[in-house]
Amino acid sequence: MAEQLTSLAEDRALLGRTSTAERVSDILRSRIAEGFFPPGTRLSEDSIGGALGVSRNTLREAFRLLTHERLLVHELNRGVFVRVLAVEDVEDIYRTRGLVECAVVRGLGEPPYGLDALSAAVEEGLRAAREGDWKALGTANIHFHRELVALAGSARTDELMRSVFAELRLAFHVVDDPKRLHEPYLARNRQILQALEAGDRAEAEKLLAVYLEDSLERVVEVYRRRVGEEA
């Protein structure tokens, strides 16, 4: 925990002069997504507040916001913890992804589409795979889907899916073999990109739907085994 807090203290500059609970929650959300605070970790108000240089009330409000996003859970008389997802949570996350991501692709309209950010996410994944950085590959995969959602041009959809993807990372952090989990989808990301580059959104949606079904099956299989081992 000391190492995490030292690193967290470096984020104080991000708060600027107008320190707010929203900015604190942004920092903590990013740190949780990166795995600095793994699922099940108890978050100390004193330690984190001291590292960030914020008041207890500000930190509590940030905790409240992240609890609303399902990233944290408050346990009576024990404190605030990074949430450990149930298998049913993982299934619901993928159900939401299927509804939103496929609808975004279906509603793209006529090509050409602005695909630079999506292409950059594919390249990010290829680079991570070449370097054998499987955690970074998982991050690149999330970036791909976030940029896919961004094609809708909807700030509300982006905000909704930001929380969904952050929650999904909680499941990824429990998995003990990120290479096996993420590597098969690198080529499939590229196939979806290529279909969109060709202006074939129907094919892209079909590829995406099968992708999400296969990913759900794989993640649930591994997650159920890992959660069972730790129970």
Side-chain angles (χ1 to χ4, degrees):
M1 178 63 74
E3 180 180 349
Q4 288 96 324
L5 292 173
T6 298
S7 180
L8 189 63
E10 298 173 0
D11 287 335
R12 290 179 67 166
L14 299 176
L15 296 175
R17 291 186 159 192
T18 56
S19 177
T20 66
E22 288 81 5
R23 290 184 179 180
V24 173
S25 67
D26 285 344
I27 289 171
L28 293 179
R29 185 187 302 105
S30 295
R31 291 297 185 169
I32 291 168
E34 293 166 2
F36 274 73
F37 300 117
T41 301
R42 181 181 179 277
L43 302 184
S44 165
E45 287 185 4
D46 291 339
S47 298
I48 294 176
L52 290 175
V54 298
S55 70
R56 180 166 295 193
N57 285 340
T58 296
L59 187 59
R60 285 178 176 175
E61 176 62 13
F63 283 172
R64 187 191 68 78
L65 292 171
L66 295 177
T67 299
H68 181 70
E69 294 180 18
R70 300 175 179 270
L71 296 180
L72 302 180
V73 61
H74 180 268
E75 297 186 11
L76 189 63
N77 299 324
R78 294 193 65 216
V80 175
F81 294 79
V82 178
R83 191 158 171 252
V84 178
L85 301 182
V87 171
E88 292 77 14
D89 295 317
V90 178
E91 292 172 337
D92 193 40
I93 287 169
Y94 272 88
R95 187 177 303 114
T96 302
R97 292 185 66 190
L99 290 170
V100 174
E101 293 186 50
C102 290
V104 166
V105 173
R106 191 181 317 124
L108 282 178
E110 295 303 314
Y113 311 119
L115 301 175
D116 288 348
L118 202 64
S119 179
V122 170
E123 290 302 318
E124 178 188 352
L126 290 170
R127 185 165 55 252
R130 285 195 299 269
E131 295 171 357
D133 190 340
W134 309 117
K135 181 179 177 181
L137 177 57
T139 298
N141 194 32
I142 292 291
H143 288 169
F144 176 86
H145 289 275
R146 190 175 64 194
E147 296 300 342
L148 186 69
V149 169
L151 292 175
S154 166
R156 290 174 178 81
T157 305
D158 289 344
E159 184 177 356
L160 166 68
M161 294 306 291
R162 179 190 67 174
S163 297
V164 170
F165 290 137
E167 198 176 355
L168 180 62
R169 293 295 290 269
L170 295 180
F172 288 170
H173 292 317
V174 174
V175 176
D176 59 350
D177 189 355
K179 177 181 179 181
R180 180 173 177 268
L181 182 65
H182 300 301
E183 189 177 31
Y185 299 99
L186 183 57
R188 297 172 82 163
N189 287 346
R190 187 159 45 183
Q191 289 173 346
I192 293 170
L193 173 63
Q194 289 169 343
L196 291 174
E197 288 173 336
D200 191 346
R201 68 176 186 270
E203 176 64 13
E205 183 185 355
K206 178 182 176 182
L207 290 168
L208 177 61
V210 175
Y211 175 124
L212 291 175
E213 290 174 5
D214 291 347
S215 181
L216 170 60
E217 183 178 348
R218 180 181 292 263
V219 171
V220 166
E221 174 194 357
V222 177
Y223 194 79
R224 181 177 281 116
R225 184 174 66 249
R226 288 288 294 163
V227 171
E229 289 173 354
E230 295 173 2

